[in-house]
Amino acid sequence: MPSSAGNQAKNRPVDTVILAMPGTLPTTVAGPMDVFTQAGQLWEMLCAANPSPRFNVRIVSIDGGDVTCMNGMQIKSQGALADVSSADLLIVTSANIAERQSWGKIVVPHLTRLHRQGTRLASICTGAFVLAEAGLLSGRVATTHWGFVPMFRELYPEVDVRPERMLTQDGSIFCSGGINAYAELCLYLVEYWCGYRTAEQLAKALVLDGWREQQMDYSLFEFQKRHGDAAILKAQNHMEAHFRDALNATALAEICAMSERNFKRRFKKATGDTPNEYLQRLRVEHAKHRLEQTALGIETVAEEAGYRDVAYFRQVFKQLAGMTPQAYRMKTRIALPAETDKAAA
């Protein structure tokens, strides 16, 4: 965790590095650059408010030289990866997997160094191969472009790759699937650093379809519903509506009119998660929004999310969100209207 966490995103722009890999697709470089540089600015400009950039973004390459993209386009670099002494967030763009043998000498050591220092890491599309090559995805949940999953599993069997997910977060590491998943990833990271309100406003300003308009976050789960198994979809919808309840595989199997063993097998096959994993993620996403948008105590937030054991809630939250509930609240807290009025008075 960066030492300046807490209200960092409100006190200074998030120091963000985009590592443009050789042979990358330019969309995975320019897209994140556009999203992050407009956070705190475009919506404010459209609403005649004072713009305040929330991210400070720079593009680096492996050697500091310009990057030749897959389509021949040249992208200018602002420095070499080795020159990055620290960063809050580093995003690895799509990569030419055929060149992975060369990553170990330069890319791997510096990604490992930055991660140890507390830098959050993210990958777009085949950028997950770079993180996996550095050993940073070992034992973690990750995703990548669906077409490269067989190769990914063969090369990195220690990674729990979930091709059915558009986005994954496992602690301090984020991954996105195909090329255009960069938009969902970036908006999710904007919310992670700056809060739901900023992400929502940015999505509207950029006219990015698919971003949620409701308080409850199901955008991370929508891709996992496109599996064609009507019975499992019924269970997912029930879990979203009753995530606070003491749900278990036995009860869910009964709803789906199948044996518990068959239900667990089909649920895992359809979603990539066990029923319990899916439930914990639903609960944590709800808790995140309550922490952002209310002043409720941690115990109350935990209970609202379906946890009776606060210590267990803290444990699960940190595992899935990459920080404690209190740290998440400090970083993403949205002032309520009453608080704003009181401060103004």
Side-chain angles (χ1 to χ4, degrees):
M1 184 72 187
S3 59
S4 57
N7 278 332
Q8 176 199 45
K10 296 180 180 179
N11 295 332
R12 66 170 177 81
V14 179
D15 184 14
T16 304
V17 174
I18 298 175
L19 174 59
M21 296 295 293
T24 188
L25 288 163
T27 304
T28 65
V29 182
M33 173 68 80
D34 287 341
V35 174
F36 289 128
T37 55
Q38 294 304 320
Q41 300 200 86
L42 182 57
W43 174 266
E44 288 71 13
M45 180 187 71
L46 294 173
C47 297
N50 293 325
S52 177
R54 309 302 294 271
F55 290 79
N56 179 33
V57 191
R58 50 190 158 139
I59 298 172
V60 303
S61 62
I62 293 178
D63 58 5
D66 292 349
V67 175
T68 301
C69 299
M70 181 181 291
N71 62 3
M73 181 183 293
Q74 294 284 317
I75 291 183
K76 187 173 181 60
S77 168
Q78 297 169 274
L81 178 60
D83 298 331
V84 180
S85 59
S86 64
D88 299 316
L89 171 65
L90 184 145
I91 297 179
V92 182
T93 69
S94 65
N96 183 353
I97 303 170
E99 299 183 359
R100 69 182 185 85
Q101 297 297 335
S102 65
W103 300 341
K105 297 180 180 179
I106 303 177
V107 182
V108 168
H110 292 296
L111 289 183
T112 302
R113 168 179 59 83
L114 289 167
H115 187 247
R116 286 175 178 169
Q117 292 175 3
T119 299
R120 265 42 182 168
L121 301 178
S123 66
I124 299 172
C125 195
T126 51
F129 281 76
V130 183
L131 296 182
E133 192 70 22
L136 297 169
L137 295 180
S138 297
R140 295 181 184 266
V141 173
T143 193
T144 187
H145 189 290
W146 63 268
F148 294 92
V149 168
M151 181 188 299
F152 190 95
R153 283 176 169 155
E154 181 179 352
L155 292 172
Y156 313 109
E158 70 281 5
V159 181
D160 185 4
V161 63
R162 309 286 183 91
E164 68 286 333
R165 287 204 203 170
M166 185 74 75
L167 303 176
T168 61
Q169 178 190 356
D170 194 324
S172 59
I173 297 183
F174 308 78
C175 298
S176 63
I179 301 163
N180 286 331
Y182 82 84
E184 283 287 342
L185 171 67
C186 293
L187 286 172
Y188 186 68
L189 290 169
V190 169
E191 180 185 2
Y192 178 84
W193 287 106
C194 309
Y196 170 76
R197 187 69 55 79
T198 299
E200 179 189 37
Q201 293 172 345
L202 179 60
K204 290 180 179 179
L206 292 173
V207 196
L208 290 174
D209 295 332
W211 184 249
R212 59 191 177 278
E213 296 182 355
Q214 303 299 322
Q215 177 179 319
M216 186 61 179
D217 179 2
Y218 292 136
S219 66
L220 289 177
F221 305 90
E222 284 303 314
F223 195 69
Q224 288 172 271
K225 294 181 178 179
R226 304 172 192 173
H227 44 64
D229 191 326
I232 297 304
L233 180 59
K234 182 178 180 180
Q236 289 173 274
N237 291 334
H238 181 85
M239 293 169 78
E240 290 178 2
H242 303 278
F243 64 90
R244 298 178 179 87
D245 299 341
L247 299 175
N248 55 52
T250 302
L252 291 169
E254 290 180 359
I255 292 173
C256 297
M258 63 179 72
S259 69
E260 182 176 343
R261 180 178 180 182
N262 190 36
F263 169 73
K264 288 181 177 179
R265 179 187 62 80
R266 281 174 58 175
F267 195 96
K268 176 75 173 179
K269 180 180 179 181
T271 70
D273 284 331
T274 66
N276 185 59
E277 289 171 341
Y278 196 87
L279 177 62
Q280 302 313 314
R281 290 173 55 224
L282 281 172
R283 288 175 169 177
V284 167
E285 288 303 320
H286 174 79
K288 284 163 65 175
H289 287 290
R290 297 299 281 168
L291 290 167
E292 291 172 11
Q293 301 182 9
T294 75
L296 295 172
I298 302 298
E299 293 79 5
T300 302
V301 171
E303 186 174 357
E304 281 194 357
Y307 294 98
R308 303 295 177 264
D309 185 336
V310 178
Y312 180 63
F313 165 68
R314 295 178 190 274
Q315 176 186 334
V316 174
F317 190 98
K318 186 173 183 179
Q319 178 184 352
L320 295 179
M323 65 185 75
T324 65
Q326 185 61 29
Y328 184 86
R329 163 168 275 166
M330 291 175 66
K331 185 158 67 67
T332 63
R333 181 81 167 87
I334 297 173
L336 300 176
E339 295 172 340
T340 303
D341 294 342
K342 183 177 180 180

